Amino acid sequence: MLKEFPKSYSPKDTEGKLYKNWLNNELFNTNDNSPKTPYSILMPPPNITGILHFGHVLNLTIQDLFIRRKRMMGYESCWFPGTDHAGIATQTRVEKELKNENITKYDIGREKFTEKIWEWREKYGGIILEQMRKLGISADWNKTIFTMDKGPSNAVNQVFIRLFDEGLIYRGKRIINWSPLSMTALSDEEVEFKEVQGHLYTLKYYFEDNSGYLSLSTVRPETIFGDTAVAVNPNDERYKHLIGKKVKVPICNRLISIIADDYADPNFGTGCVKITPAHDPNDFLVGERHNLETINSINPDGTLNDFAGEFSGLERFEARKKVLEKLKTLELIEKIENYTHNVGFSQRGGEPIEPYLSDQWFVNMKPLAEKALKPVLEGEIRFHPNHWVKTYEHWLTNIKDWCISRQLWWGHRIPVYYTEDGQFTAAESVEIARQKLNLDRKTPLTQDEDVLDTWFSSWLWPLTTMGWLSQDNKEDTNVLNKFLPTDLLVTAPDIIFFWVARMIMASLHFKNQIPFKDVYFTSLIRDGLGRKLSKSLGNSPDPLNVIEKYGADAVRFTMIYLSPLGQDVKMDVNTETQDIPSVEIGRNFCNKIWNAGRFLIMKKEQVISENNITNNYDLLKENELSLSDKWILSKLNTAISKIDESLDNFKVNDYSKILYDFIWSDFCDWYVEIVKIQSNNSNDSDYKLRLINFAIDIYEKILQLIHPVMPFISEEIWYLLKDRKESISISSTPKADKKLIIENIENDFTLLQHIIEEIRKMRSSANLPPSKKIPLFLNCKIQSSVNFLNSQKAIIELLAKCTDCSIGIGIDKPEPSVSGVIKDNEIYLAIGDLIDVDAEKARLNKEIERLNNLITSTEKKLSNEKFVSNAAPEIVEREREKLNDLKNSLESVTNNLSGLGK
């Protein structure tokens, strides 16, 4: 007896069981000393505070697709997983928990606070990795690292020390993104710009002798206490005569000079710009050029300091209100205008960031960037889609130094030690620092309080995942020698600067090797209205709930089916039920595949039991192959060839479409039906069994083709088809046999499919009863079509529900009939008295009238210039598609009417 094939596929009963088997059998583990060709992928490390979202789902599905495929192709395939300590996010999370207990980090001190964070990480830090497993991903979990583990931490310290000793790390004053809430510097990636409706205030800066004033516009009047100059353009004739004179800063009346600088735009505002070097990055550069005083008038917590006089201690936005009141009282406001501008907000705290002058640690990026540009421009590292190369080039040629210090307690503490008199050096320990500074062993040293930017550990990810410098500062490991450079990185394009570019820099600088060969940039996921998925909009359902409803394979397949390379992904989202109906695409595909397998096994059982024969796996002999069998073999190998081409070029969306079309249409809808016909038309039981085995053999290859994207259902069916012990994931992926691709047969069968599909449409359009078999006449133009269609007459009659099929050249059109044309081949269905012709004519005339009315109204809408220019592009396109469909329907109905005679 064959294994029982359940009536329907149940992801809930299957996925957990299969994943456990994969882990128990160590199918994802890799051997660093294997003679196999290596293939590896770096998993972008999720934050330990993170939870799975659909961006992860798309990213992980693409990675798993490639790692599983290469594993099946015989590569030693290693997917390196891990998690990121996420400095600000994690510290903020734990601080909130302490706040619930009315405790602050200062109450318990740095050491105890970091202990609390480690406890939190032990409890919650692995949740996102567990969530990833629900998706079925096949990472080598034995190689999981955490960026704060001992090994990666040692590498981070060593890199800082080496760059410091090379003169590429320095300490300096710069304008940085500052979070008053977290009281730390932020990376550009942690700042989100939003459009804000504010005001532009034009203030009066009186000349030293009160003979008049300059009008200056600002959106931040509370920063006037940090003004140290007024800039005008040297070519601006209005102000040339004023250069070198002084004006008074409103309220505080401090005298500042009028300077000439190209930064001042004569066409913006009044053409005069107040220069506040401590509170604006552009002003800071002007200040450096002119050696201006730098006055920082805002405290780290966002309150104004003593430079603001009577406004000292006020929170910056409250201070703005009070300053404006005072300026109005002093009649120093010329005008106030509504003004829309972009403001940076902290992604973590949500508050507007403060451009802030402070002492920070920086990496001199220019020398690193110059080396990192070449491999991308010369194609040693390939970007998919390629247009991101231009973005990469622009960023690297205009690169700024990287602020790497953060005023936090959670993270890699900066390995710099200071003497009481201000000497400092970077070192592995206090003892080594004393040696580097030539100090005696009793000299007290203090370690820098700041920690490193999270990205400073992330940029070493290609190296630390492979154990570089993790122990005894060891430069080489078996893993590094085997897998570096890795083959693929899949990531979002918004971190091309923060992560991708920096990893290239680090790997080239420290190992003189590229970190990866190909970078696949994923698409942005939007809902049906074109909006980004976000919790605040309520349009970002929990992927685990969607997986629970539809199954992981359905979610995985749908994601890549909807994701063309370089274009946004659009998914229908039901905000009320927090469901994604689009995933029906994947679930229906799973069911189609399952039902085909179940039918073939049931058919095999039927042949064995009815004919009392022994089960075997013999296939059709070459001389037994019908044209249909040769056709499905040809289509299979064409599909394999196209899949190879698509995935070799990272066109995963094309891969999904090729799979879908071949499996759903060619195999399930056509070949399985043809197998039924061929089996029923034969009396040879052994042939029937070989035929079913042949179909199952094709089906097994289908399972291997879908396995990279649909691992669970393919594995479950794999075991149901035969008594197997080995997983499908380590079976060999099918290879295309060019000899089996026969273009003429494929073209002939395409014609056959189109003819049968047209007959089905004609029957439906003419309201012909489905149970009635109707005489069919096919008038062909060439003899080869006649010969082929005659050889497939049994298939045509059964699948099109026709009888007395007459195929030839010069066949007359019977009356009454309905007609159609496919590639110059005329199709006639002789309807005789099957329908009331007069009633049908009346119905068709009424339908023609309705369609003409709809066509007229749609054409009128599309000829309206206001509609075309004002409506959303997708709405206009939808109207054009509707018009095209209406015209096609009209043509079909008109043809049916003419076929009914006069």
Side-chain angles (χ1 to χ4, degrees), residues 763-764 766-774 800-801 831 833-836:
R763 292 183 63 116
S764 173
N767 281 334
L768 295 171
S771 59
K772 294 288 184 182
K773 293 199 169 186
I774 300 164
K801 294 186 177 176
I831 57 176
D833 58 357
L834 284 171
I835 60 173
D836 182 333

Side-chain angles (χ1 to χ4, degrees), residues 8-22:
S8 60
Y9 174 57
S10 172
K12 287 180 187 176
D13 298 332
T14 303
E15 293 173 356
K17 168 193 73 175
L18 290 179
Y19 200 82
K20 188 176 179 182
N21 287 345
W22 291 334

Side-chain angles (χ1 to χ4, degrees), residues 2-6 601 605 720:
L2 300 174
K3 286 190 179 180
E4 183 185 350
F5 208 110
I601 288 298
E605 285 182 336
L720 289 172

Side-chain angles (χ1 to χ4, degrees), residues 195-319:
E195 201 172 75
V196 171
Q197 308 293 326
H199 295 95
L200 188 66
Y201 305 94
T202 301
L203 310 181
K204 301 173 182 177
Y205 281 61
Y206 277 90
F207 295 120
E208 187 176 9
D209 60 3
N210 290 323
S211 60
Y213 63 84
L214 280 180
S215 301
L216 282 80
S217 299
T218 180
V219 293
R220 303 189 65 203
E222 71 278 9
T223 64
I224 58 175
F225 308 106
D227 291 357
T228 56
V230 171
V232 296
N233 194 287
N235 300 313
D236 193 333
E237 296 295 337
R238 294 173 295 175
Y239 303 116
K240 269 187 176 182
H241 66 289
L242 296 176
I243 295 169
K245 293 192 175 184
K246 294 183 185 290
V247 291
K248 291 185 280 189
V249 177
I251 298 178
C252 64
N253 291 320
R254 181 165 29 84
L255 290 173
I256 57 176
S257 296
I258 300 170
I259 61 173
D261 196 280
D262 289 332
Y263 171 60
D265 182 357
N267 300 313
F268 180 78
T270 63
C272 304
V273 185
K274 75 186 200 70
I275 302 300
T276 318
H279 298 293
D280 183 277
N282 293 310
D283 291 5
F284 179 78
L285 296 175
V286 174
E288 282 192 325
R289 287 197 290 273
H290 295 270
N291 199 26
L292 297 177
E293 182 185 4
T294 301
I295 299 174
N296 191 338
S297 61
I298 298 179
N299 293 314
D301 64 357
T303 59
L304 272 60
N305 61 25
D306 290 345
F307 282 107
E310 64 189 276
F311 306 100
S312 176
L314 290 177
E315 188 274 331
R316 55 189 168 149
F317 295 110
E318 181 62 26

Side-chain angles (χ1 to χ4, degrees), residues 799-823:
L799 296 185
K801 294 186 177 176
C802 295
T803 187
D804 301 328
C805 185
S806 180
I807 304 170
I809 294 174
I811 289 181
D812 291 331
K813 177 182 178 182
E815 285 196 13
S817 68
V818 290
S819 61
V821 178
I822 293 293
K823 293 184 179 177

Side-chain angles (χ1 to χ4, degrees), residues 376-632:
V376 174
L377 294 182
E378 293 184 355
E380 190 181 1
I381 297 173
R382 296 170 293 272
F383 285 179
H384 310 275
N386 184 256
H387 65 73
W388 288 110
V389 171
K390 285 287 181 192
T391 308
Y392 179 87
E393 181 182 12
H394 175 76
W395 188 71
L396 259 65
T397 51
N398 295 279
I399 199 162
K400 295 177 182 176
D401 287 353
W402 174 16
C403 175
I404 55 170
S405 45
R406 297 291 180 268
Q407 291 62 52
L408 302 170
W409 287 357
W410 173 244
H412 298 100
R413 193 166 173 182
I414 291 174
V416 168
Y417 296 87
Y418 301 86
T419 63
E420 290 175 349
D421 63 1
Q423 295 181 72
F424 60 87
T425 190
E428 292 91 334
S429 64
V430 175
E431 291 76 16
I432 296 173
R434 289 192 184 106
Q435 291 172 21
K436 289 177 79 172
L437 292 169
N438 295 316
L439 302 171
D440 65 51
R441 286 184 298 174
K442 292 185 179 178
T443 304
L445 295 180
T446 307
Q447 187 176 352
D448 198 300
E449 291 289 323
D450 290 351
V451 301
L452 289 163
D453 178 13
T454 299
W455 293 105
F456 197 84
S457 52
S458 300
W459 79 321
L460 304 176
W461 194 243
L463 305 175
T464 53
T465 48
M466 302 189 196
W468 180 69
L469 299 184
S470 65
Q471 227 175 358
D472 303 321
N473 295 341
K474 198 173 177 183
E475 287 282 347
D476 289 313
T477 66
N478 288 343
V479 190
L480 265 171
N481 293 333
K482 180 75 176 176
F483 292 109
L484 191 72
T486 61
D487 291 271
L488 178 63
L489 177 75
V490 180
T491 188
D494 57 353
I495 54 173
I496 187 172
F497 320 126
F498 307 106
W499 195 43
V500 178
R502 288 172 182 164
M503 283 192 287
I504 296 171
M505 293 178 203
S507 292
L508 287 170
H509 187 75
F510 296 109
K511 292 299 291 178
N512 202 29
Q513 274 185 290
I514 58 171
F516 28 71
K517 299 167 191 170
D518 289 282
V519 184
Y520 183 109
F521 292 109
T522 53
S523 309
L524 191 64
I525 303 174
R526 299 184 181 276
D527 65 13
L529 299 174
R531 304 175 301 175
K532 283 174 66 176
L533 299 196
S534 106
K535 291 290 180 191
S536 60
L537 290 174
N539 66 345
S540 183
D542 183 343
L544 295 179
N545 293 338
V546 180
I547 289 171
E548 176 76 12
K549 179 174 180 178
Y550 296 98
D553 287 342
V555 172
R556 289 166 60 117
F557 182 80
T558 301
M559 291 305 295
I560 66 163
Y561 189 82
L562 298 175
S563 306
L565 181 63
Q567 296 179 39
D568 289 351
V569 182
K570 276 199 174 179
M571 299 193 307
D572 290 329
V573 177
N574 187 322
T575 53
E576 289 184 13
T577 61
Q578 288 297 290
D579 187 18
I580 300 186
S582 303
V583 182
E584 290 282 359
I585 295 168
R587 180 163 69 180
N588 292 342
F589 192 40
C590 284
N591 290 339
K592 190 81 169 178
I593 292 166
W594 182 269
N595 291 338
R598 185 167 184 267
F599 165 77
L600 291 172
I601 288 298
M602 289 173 65
K603 190 70 178 171
K604 183 169 182 174
E605 285 182 336
Q606 182 188 353
V607 169
I608 290 170
S609 61
E610 285 181 357
N611 297 281
N612 198 24
I613 55 177
T614 306
N615 179 32
N616 64 63
Y617 299 100
D618 296 341
L619 306 180
L620 289 175
K621 297 162 191 167
E622 191 172 349
N623 63 357
E624 291 181 304
L625 295 175
S626 68
L627 279 176
S628 301
D629 303 325
K630 290 177 181 176
W631 167 73
I632 199 64

Side-chain angles (χ1 to χ4, degrees), residues 620-622 624-636 671 674-675 678 687 691 694-695 698 740 745 749 792 795:
L620 289 175
K621 297 162 191 167
E622 191 172 349
E624 291 181 304
L625 295 175
S626 68
L627 279 176
S628 301
D629 303 325
K630 290 177 181 176
W631 167 73
I632 199 64
L633 271 178
S634 182
K635 291 292 284 185
L636 170 67
Y671 186 66
I674 290 169
V675 165
Q678 291 185 164
Y687 162 79
L691 173 65
F694 174 80
I698 301 284
L740 296 175
I745 290 181
F749 265 83
Q792 304 302 310
I795 291 171

